[in-house]
Amino acid sequence: MPFKLLTFPSDPRQGARFDESLVGLAACDGPIASVWEAQQGLVVPRTYQRHDSFARVSEEFAAQGWPIAVRLSGGGVVPQGTGIVNLSMAYAFDGPPLRHSDAAYLLICSMIRNALKEDWDVETRIQAVDGSFCDGRYNLAWGPENSARKVAGTAQLWRRVGQDQTKRQIVLVHALLLAAIDAASLTERANLLERQLGSGKRYDATRIASLHDCLPASRTLPAAAFMQGLKESLIGQIKKTSAPTNCVPAHLDV
């Protein structure tokens, strides 16, 4: 089944939790995908609310123009805003999430890797990058393996749908691409949050990279043009990608 592409020609900046709405759309309309940009802010998992100072720190960051959104998926703190591109896909499966989780990660990673290699001559690999914010096994990294830097991170959210006793689930798989960012500035913002919360976590700006800086000399162009071209590359991958063959049809009762 092909993915239905959701675009926003009149309002490209969405709320940080916009893609959670794709779960309901996938339940009604079948596989759906979107390439989108979010408003400036930080996004954290629900575990961050356990910090006693979370409410106070959230107010302070919002006053500084960096509102904190609490997402339903796991992971760690991630920034959103200028220079960041998001790719999100949602589709339904029968069976427990653990049976399909790795396949969902591999699908979105392969789409991004293909877009970067085919259109921009940028080679990436799937690997964890210790010291990067929201590190995970299904990062995309650029550079030599022993000194690779994270250029994209991924996360998942699963929701059971239907009113019967089936084990039908919607997976939302999301990738955040560091397209044209200031690595030092974003890392410092994430570190500031961790310091204010007293979490003890710290991140290293040298462990992430802006994809715009990874372009070969023959492909250099202004950051804004690269951002637009990267979104078009990802949309191209969506258009030629089908949901997994064991994906179930739409029109579910949510």
Side-chain angles (χ1 to χ4, degrees):
M1 287 181 283
F3 283 95
K4 178 181 178 181
L5 179 63
L6 191 61
T7 59
F8 304 92
S10 60
D11 183 17
R13 291 292 177 92
Q14 305 300 309
R17 293 179 56 183
F18 148 74
D19 59 347
E20 292 174 10
S21 66
L22 299 185
V23 173
L25 294 175
C28 296
D29 299 329
I32 190 164
S34 185
V35 176
W36 55 287
E37 295 178 66
Q39 300 160 4
Q40 178 175 284
L42 296 174
V43 187
V44 299
R46 288 171 289 183
T47 54
Y48 275 55
Q49 293 176 302
R50 299 173 184 171
H51 293 284
D52 293 338
S53 57
F54 182 78
R56 173 184 59 80
V57 171
S58 293
E59 290 181 1
E60 293 174 356
F61 270 64
Q64 297 166 11
W66 283 89
I68 298 173
V70 180
R71 66 175 181 271
L72 297 180
S73 59
V77 58
V78 294
Q80 284 284 7
T82 302
I84 291 173
V85 173
N86 300 280
L87 169 61
S88 301
M89 305 189 299
Y91 46 98
F93 277 117
D94 278 330
L98 287 178
R99 188 180 302 170
H100 306 291
S101 177
D102 285 347
Y105 277 130
L106 290 171
L107 175 63
I108 198 167
C109 285
S110 67
M111 292 171 66
I112 298 168
R113 293 185 71 201
N114 290 342
L116 292 173
K117 176 59 178 174
E118 294 171 7
D119 295 344
W120 303 100
D121 199 22
V122 173
E123 292 272 11
T124 56
R125 72 175 63 84
I126 299 171
Q127 92 175 58
V129 180
D130 185 42
S132 64
F133 51 70
C134 199
D135 188 25
R137 290 189 300 127
Y138 288 99
N139 293 328
L140 286 183
W142 172 84
E145 186 172 358
N146 60 354
S147 60
R149 292 186 285 171
K150 176 178 176 176
V151 293
T154 57
Q156 282 186 22
L157 169 66
W158 288 82
R159 282 292 175 267
R160 179 171 293 187
V161 294
Q163 304 300 320
D164 55 21
Q165 298 302 310
T166 64
K167 295 182 179 179
R168 188 157 296 177
Q169 307 254 3
I170 300 288
V171 57
L172 170 65
V173 59
H174 167 87
L176 179 147
L177 288 77
L178 304 177
I181 55 118
D182 181 330
S185 177
L186 287 189
T187 301
E188 175 53 29
R189 179 57 57 172
N191 279 334
L192 179 61
L193 174 62
E194 301 289 9
R195 286 197 300 271
Q196 293 292 329
L197 294 177
S199 69
K201 297 178 181 177
R202 297 294 182 270
Y203 310 110
D204 183 349
T206 66
R207 302 318 308 275
I208 66 171
S210 174
L211 280 166
H212 184 247
D213 295 336
C214 302
L215 294 175
S218 60
R219 304 302 306 274
T220 55
L221 72 170
F226 172 64
M227 286 277 293
Q228 183 59 39
L230 178 59
K231 289 187 285 185
E232 292 171 0
S233 296
L234 294 172
I235 288 171
Q237 290 294 320
I238 292 170
K239 289 180 177 179
K240 60 184 181 182
T241 300
S242 295
T245 55
N246 52 350
C247 177
V248 298
H251 307 298
L252 309 176
D253 296 322
V254 180

